[in-house]
Amino acid sequence: MSAKKTRYFCNVCGHITSRWLGRCAGCGEWNTYVEEVVVRGTSPRSTEAGGGNRPLPVTEVAPVEGERNSTGMAELDRVLGGGLVPGSLVLLGGDPGIGKSTLLLQVAGLVGAAGKKVLYVSGEESVRQIRLRADRLEISCPGLYAYAETDLQVIEEQVNLVDPALLVIDSIQTMYGPDITSAAGSVSQVRECTARLMRLAKERSLSIFVIGHVTKEGMIAGPRVMEHMVDVVLYFEGERNQSFRILRGVKNRFGSTNEIGIYEMSGYGLKEVINPSSFFLDEHAGRDVAGAVVVPVIEGTRPLLVEIQSLVCPTSFGVPRRMTAGVDHNRTALIIAVLEKRLGLMMGNCDAYVNVVGGVKIDEPAADLGVAAALTSSFRERVIDHHTCVMGELGLTGELRPVAALDKRIREAARLGFKRCIVPQQKGIPDNVSEVKIFEAKTLADAFDHMFV
C-alpha cells in the first residue's frame, strides 16, 4: 500500500515544504522550489540492515587496513591527499565542456592499465561514444569496462558481476532509482541515488567517482545535501579560451582541502603540469613593463609564482571603475585606499584594473604587496625589474605583516632564476639562499624604496 503526495523541494538546500514558497525557509534563496510527487510505501524496514552493529569504544574499533590506492596521476593524488581511499565517494563538479569526463576516463584507463577492473558507467553517452573518446586519448586496456545505463538498480547488479576496484558514474543527474516516481535529475532522485552509491561504496569498499553538473552560479546542481553526503568534493575549473585547468578540493574527509592540481588540455587529453610556476611565467621572462610584478603564493603545500598585472588610466566617467580578475575586488579597493592615504597616490580620478595572468585565483593576503606594487607601477609608469618578486600582507596603516611559508616562497623564486625578493620584516627569513638577495621592508614605503630603483 502506497500513497502519493506532492511536495516542494528546494534545489539549493533540499528543504521540503507542503506548498510553494517564493523564498526558501531553509537557505533564504528565491525561486528555488520545485514540485515533485513523493511515493510513501508501508513496507517495514529490514531487520538485517543493522547487521548486528553496536556502539564500540574507539580503542576497540579495528584499524583501517591497506593504504591509499594511486590513481596514476600525481596531481589528482595530491588533491585527494595521497590517493583514493577504498570505500570513498568522490564528487567531481565543473562547467560543461571543461573536461570532467575526459579526466575520469583517463584515470579509469590508468587504473585499468595497473591491472585493476574499472567500470565506467555513462548516462549521457553510448558505449561507442566512450570507445571513440578512449581511442582519442589512446586508452586501450581490457580492465576498463564501458556501460551505458541510467537505472541505478541495474548498475548495482553489474557491479556485483564485474566486481570492479573503481566505479565511475557520469553523471549523477542522469541516474534514477525505480522506487521514486520523480524524473531523473530531480532533488529526490539525486539525493536517493547519492545515498545508494554511498551505501554501495561502504559495503564493498569500492572507490566511486561521481560527476555532477553545475548551475550558472557555479554550484553543483541539486541540493547542497549531496555535497554533505559524499566524502570528497572536487571542482574542475578553467576558462575555455585557456589551455590549463585547475582541480581544486573543497571538501575532503581524508586529507587537506588546500591542495590544487594543474593540468593542460591538449588534443590527446589532459596533461599534468609538473612545473606550474614556469607555466604561468612563460610570457613574463625577459620583460620589463610598467604594471607587472611576480608574487609567490602558496596553494596547499605547493609554492606557485604568478604574475599580477595592473592598468591605471584616467577615467572618462564621473565615477572611476574598479575591475579585478583573480583577486578579491573589495581587497583591491582597500589597497587603493591605503595607497591614497599613506603614500599620496591620488587615484580617485583614475580607472584601475587588476588581473592575475593565466586565470589563477588568489585568496591569500600575502599577495597584497604585489597588488599594491602593480597599481603603483602602472600609476607612476615606473618599471619593476623582472628578476624581482614581492610578497607581504598590507595593513591599513601602511605596515607590512608577516606571511606564512616564507622559506618555500623564496626557494621557489630562486629555482626559477629570480635575483631579488622583497619581504616583510619577520622571523624565519632564510639566510642560506645565495642566489637571491632578500630585502626586508617594515612599511609599504620601505618596500617601494627597494622596488623602484
Side-chain angles (χ1 to χ4, degrees), residues 20 191 342:
W20 187 88
R191 183 166 50 188
R342 304 302 173 188

Side-chain angles (χ1 to χ4, degrees), residues 49-267:
N53 189 20
R54 62 181 180 83
L56 290 175
V58 69
T59 54
E60 297 182 10
V61 177
V64 178
E65 298 181 359
E67 301 179 353
R68 295 173 182 259
N69 299 320
S70 175
T71 62
M73 283 188 176
E75 295 294 303
L76 179 56
D77 288 344
R78 177 186 289 109
V79 178
L80 291 173
L84 272 175
V85 175
S88 61
L89 180 60
V90 182
L91 176 63
L92 175 65
D95 294 329
I98 204 68
K100 304 183 297 296
S101 299
T102 300
L103 174 65
L104 291 189
L105 186 58
Q106 287 185 245
V107 171
L110 291 171
V111 175
K116 298 179 181 178
K117 291 183 179 180
V118 181
L119 180 59
Y120 189 99
V121 181
S122 177
E124 303 174 348
E125 298 176 306
S126 66
V127 290
R128 290 180 178 271
Q129 290 175 305
I130 298 174
R131 172 62 189 270
L132 287 174
R133 188 148 45 89
D135 290 341
R136 179 173 60 85
L137 301 176
E138 299 180 351
I139 297 174
S140 178
C141 58
L144 174 57
Y145 293 80
Y147 189 50
E149 182 56 64
T150 57
D151 190 335
L152 197 58
Q153 184 173 341
V154 177
I155 294 172
E156 291 178 348
E157 295 174 358
Q158 296 301 320
V159 168
N160 294 328
L161 293 175
V162 178
D163 191 23
L166 175 64
L167 173 65
V168 179
I169 302 294
D170 183 11
S171 64
I172 188 64
Q173 278 81 14
T174 62
M175 300 294 139
Y176 73 93
D179 299 335
I180 300 178
T181 58
S182 57
S186 62
V187 176
S188 299
Q189 288 286 6
V190 169
R191 183 166 50 188
E192 177 63 21
C193 291
T194 303
R196 293 182 66 168
L197 288 173
M198 174 62 78
R199 188 161 56 246
L200 180 66
K202 302 306 179 185
E203 290 175 353
R204 301 181 61 92
S205 293
L206 171 65
S207 299
I208 302 178
F209 273 110
V210 175
I211 293 178
H213 297 309
V214 298
T215 62
K216 61 182 180 180
E217 291 82 11
M219 308 301 296
I220 293 179
R224 293 299 301 273
V225 69
M226 181 174 65
E227 297 186 29
H228 299 310
M229 294 169 66
V230 301
D231 296 313
V232 182
V233 179
L234 307 178
Y235 276 92
F236 207 38
E237 305 170 351
E239 300 293 335
R240 289 197 176 186
N241 56 352
Q242 300 278 354
S243 61
F244 82 96
R245 303 286 188 268
I246 294 179
L247 183 65
R248 190 183 305 273
V250 297
K251 174 188 176 181
N252 193 347
R253 288 174 177 163
F254 312 112
S256 172
T257 57
N258 295 321
E259 298 289 350
I260 66 169
I262 301 177
Y263 296 86
E264 183 180 8
M265 178 64 79
S266 67

Side-chain angles (χ1 to χ4, degrees), residues 271-310:
K271 296 181 179 179
E272 297 177 273
V273 178
I274 306 301
N275 192 353
S277 295
S278 61
F279 180 79
F280 290 119
L281 295 179
D282 282 343
E283 300 298 327
H284 181 80
R287 275 192 320 126
D288 284 329
V289 293
V293 68
V294 174
V295 177
V297 298
I298 295 293
E299 290 287 352
T301 59
R302 167 192 287 179
L304 188 68
L305 267 66
V306 296
E307 181 182 359
I308 297 179
Q309 294 181 348
S310 176

